[in-house]
Amino acid sequence: MPDFRIGERGDAVINYLRDHFGGFFDVIQQVMTDLLGLTYQALSALSPLAMIALLTVLALVATRRIGLTLILGVGLLVIESMDLWFETMQSMATVLGATAVALVVGIPLGIWSAFSPVVRAIVTPLLDFMQTIPVFVYLLPTVLFFGIGPVPGVVATIVFAAPPAVRLTQLGIRQVDAETVEAATAFGASRWEVLREVQLPLAKATIMAGVNQVIMLALSMVVVAGLVGGGGLGSIVVNAVQSLQIGASIEGGLAVVILAIYLDRVSSALGGQGRGNPTWWPRRKPAGADAAHAEQVADGVGAPPLSKAAA
């Protein structure tokens, strides 16, 4: 079997990119640095206790579950009690920044591949490659392109976490009932209107499941990014492991788990999964004729409107 010298060829490609596209990578590095800086400034604008209160309220609004919200709030207080709030906000900034970029790229690409068999044939094996290659393999090229620091960790996180956004967006749109799409088209809706008013709303649950998976995969790269100077909780865990500090590693790992549970529950609830329906939650009142009809039904006058199926 001939030796194709794949490693040497790959090294030559990376060196060529560094020599001829250095300015492009410098722009990406600056954009990623600014994005991380703005995200962290937003997360650290308030004091730790005020931020914990704000995140707890956000969890309550998203999940509508008092018990779960209290657990999440206590978890955030535990992080503060371990004096790891600064590192936790760094990690959250990394996760949110990487997730935002992954979704901005992944969701439109998923929509495009859902409608184009050619794009789908090209994207599918690429996504398979991105999801199966070991995560550590991402780190060396990103370090060569961007140097040591948080940027290579963010770039590697984006590449690792983006595939679910593409796959689940594509899946959600393709699973929309063809008869529903045909009915909308028959009523004169344009292709863009069908996508905006029919396909995307019906695919929302699947797309939001993809968003949740992107967040979880991005968070799973936090510790790995700590190996290349990514900062945050990843650096805490890596330093603790290298110096055999068992207590510090336990605290860093616990903070990662608490952050993962918080982001998972809140993002899932925003997608409609696991959201409560308590009686104390305010409900939107019907307006106009619907409100008058509801009052008549409440007073025993009139009858509920027939459903479309019955009509």
Side-chain angles (χ1 to χ4, degrees), residues 11-306:
D11 189 30
V13 170
I14 291 177
N15 290 331
Y16 177 84
L17 293 175
R18 291 177 61 192
D19 295 337
H20 294 81
F21 296 92
F24 173 72
F25 293 117
D26 289 341
V27 171
I28 293 180
Q29 183 174 15
Q30 186 61 47
V31 171
M32 290 293 103
T33 301
D34 293 341
L35 176 63
L36 288 177
L38 291 174
T39 306
Y40 178 72
Q41 288 178 6
L43 292 175
S44 60
L46 301 176
S47 65
L49 292 180
M51 194 64 190
I52 289 173
L54 179 60
L55 292 175
T56 303
V57 171
L58 176 61
L60 179 61
V61 172
T63 63
R64 303 178 188 177
R65 295 179 181 273
I66 296 178
L68 177 59
T69 301
L70 291 176
I71 293 174
L72 296 177
V74 170
L76 296 176
L77 288 173
V78 170
I79 293 177
E80 167 61 15
S81 69
M82 295 186 296
D83 200 21
L84 292 176
W85 188 255
F86 173 80
E87 292 80 6
T88 301
M89 291 298 99
Q90 279 187 321
S91 296
M92 183 176 285
T94 301
V95 171
L96 295 180
T99 299
V101 176
L103 295 179
V104 167
V105 175
I107 291 179
L109 185 57
I111 295 173
W112 189 14
S113 62
F115 293 107
S116 174
V118 176
V119 175
R120 189 161 58 249
I122 297 173
V123 167
T124 300
L126 181 61
L127 296 177
D128 294 338
F129 177 80
M130 292 168 62
Q131 288 187 300
T132 55
I133 191 170
V135 294
F136 291 97
V137 178
Y138 292 123
L139 294 180
L140 183 57
T142 55
V143 169
L144 294 176
F145 290 141
F146 304 106
I148 298 296
V151 174
V154 174
V155 173
T157 301
I158 293 171
V159 176
F160 180 70
V166 182
R167 289 188 183 277
L168 290 177
T169 299
Q170 176 195 135
L171 178 64
I173 292 177
R174 297 189 67 192
Q175 282 183 338
V176 174
D177 188 18
E179 294 182 357
T180 304
V181 176
E182 292 176 0
T185 304
F187 277 100
S190 65
R191 186 173 182 178
W192 167 247
E193 290 173 336
V194 172
L195 174 64
R196 184 185 62 193
E197 303 294 340
V198 178
Q199 292 172 309
L200 286 179
L202 293 178
K204 177 184 175 182
T206 305
I207 295 174
M208 289 303 299
V211 173
N212 175 262
Q213 291 301 307
V214 170
I215 294 175
M216 291 297 100
L217 288 177
L219 186 58
S220 70
M221 285 288 288
V222 166
V223 176
V224 178
L227 294 172
V228 294
L233 296 174
S235 295
I236 296 294
V237 175
V238 170
N239 293 334
V241 172
Q242 290 176 345
S243 57
L244 297 179
Q245 298 178 4
I246 304 301
S249 65
I250 292 175
E251 291 182 348
L254 179 60
V256 171
V257 170
I258 293 172
L259 182 59
I261 294 174
Y262 179 89
L263 293 176
D264 177 63
R265 296 299 186 270
V266 172
S267 60
S268 297
L270 291 175
Q273 299 179 354
R275 176 183 293 175
N277 188 26
T279 56
W280 49 265
W281 186 259
R283 288 170 172 78
R284 186 175 58 182
K285 296 181 180 180
D290 292 337
H293 183 80
E295 292 179 358
Q296 291 179 355
V297 172
D299 294 336
V301 181
L306 294 174

